[in-house]
Amino acid sequence: MDPANPVVQLCVSGMRAEAEGRDAEALRLFEQAWSAARDDYEACVAAHYVARHQTTPEETLRWNQICLDRADRVGDDRVTGFYASLHAAMGRAHHQLGEPGKAREHFTRAAAHIDDVPPGQYGDWVRFAVAEGLRATGGGAVRPAAGLLTDLFARFCARGDLKALGLVVPAHLGDLGTEGDRTRLVTALHMVHAGRWLPRDEQEVLGRVVGALNGLAEVEGAPGAG
């Protein structure tokens, strides 16, 4: 986004107010940005932030729909990277309204646009939000040995093993169910396994998880295991 754009400047000021806990001031600035918008692109940007400060799920959904509609009207590269976040926001709003089917549809569409989001912390945040939404609405990946993996995370946390958590948790949280995501998760787990710093029992369980994810072994608790 162009930092010299007046609407963008108002939104940046609004985000600063958000960070400082001045929510009323933030909303005022975002609404000012909406009023100042001169085209669909600027209106899309402003509506995204206005939506974040609505007090009911219905109004949140309405403003997110306005934002999405304006992005569709723009229809060029300026909004390509927005769609994963826009559909994730629509999914959250529908989920809050008790509409899991509609929510899952938007989270699925968000996942289809995830590669358009620039890499970095923001991209990671969007990916995590989409994966969380898919899991919450029944559209997430069901991986073999999921129960054992959750148990391992609990053990890592109990021991304060930040190295293991730092390697594995991002791949798990960002798992959208694709083959590429499975590969990232297996690679992260294999790195921990190859390091051999875990206690023996955790090392053995981790080996079973990697084998199950690679389709080499059935694990108790995995789908299809007897």
Side-chain angles (χ1 to χ4, degrees), residues 41-121:
Y41 175 78
E42 292 179 353
C44 172
V45 172
H48 170 71
Y49 292 105
V50 173
R52 295 193 339 195
H53 287 267
Q54 299 308 300
T55 57
T56 68
E58 291 82 5
E59 281 300 292
T60 300
L61 178 62
R62 185 174 76 85
W63 276 100
N64 279 318
Q65 185 65 63
I66 289 170
C67 180
L68 183 57
D69 290 344
R70 292 301 183 113
D72 287 341
R73 292 182 193 176
V74 174
D76 60 32
D77 290 344
R78 289 177 296 169
V79 297
T80 299
F82 292 179
Y83 276 101
S85 177
L86 299 187
H87 281 293
M90 290 289 291
R92 285 193 298 272
H94 279 296
H95 192 234
Q96 289 174 347
L97 285 168
E99 300 170 340
K102 291 180 180 179
R104 183 167 57 251
E105 177 184 342
H106 280 287
F107 286 126
T108 299
R109 294 176 70 179
H113 288 283
I114 200 69
D115 289 338
D116 296 327
V117 182
Q121 288 183 320

Side-chain angles (χ1 to χ4, degrees), residues 95-196:
H95 192 234
Q96 289 174 347
L97 285 168
E99 300 170 340
K102 291 180 180 179
R104 183 167 57 251
E105 177 184 342
H106 280 287
F107 286 126
T108 299
R109 294 176 70 179
H113 288 283
I114 200 69
D115 289 338
D116 296 327
V117 182
Q121 288 183 320
Y122 175 73
D124 292 341
W125 179 85
V126 174
R127 173 177 281 272
F128 294 169
V130 174
E132 181 182 38
L134 286 171
R135 288 191 292 269
T137 57
V142 179
R143 299 295 188 191
L148 288 179
L149 189 56
T150 299
D151 179 64
L152 275 175
F153 290 157
R155 297 193 199 188
F156 295 164
C157 288
R159 293 191 295 101
D161 192 336
L162 299 182
K163 183 165 61 171
L165 289 167
L167 283 169
V168 177
V169 169
H172 171 67
L173 291 179
D175 186 358
L176 300 177
T178 68
E179 179 60 19
D181 289 332
R182 186 198 66 82
T183 299
R184 276 189 287 273
L185 180 58
V186 169
T187 299
L189 292 168
H190 183 73
M191 290 170 65
V192 176
H193 190 267
R196 296 192 176 278

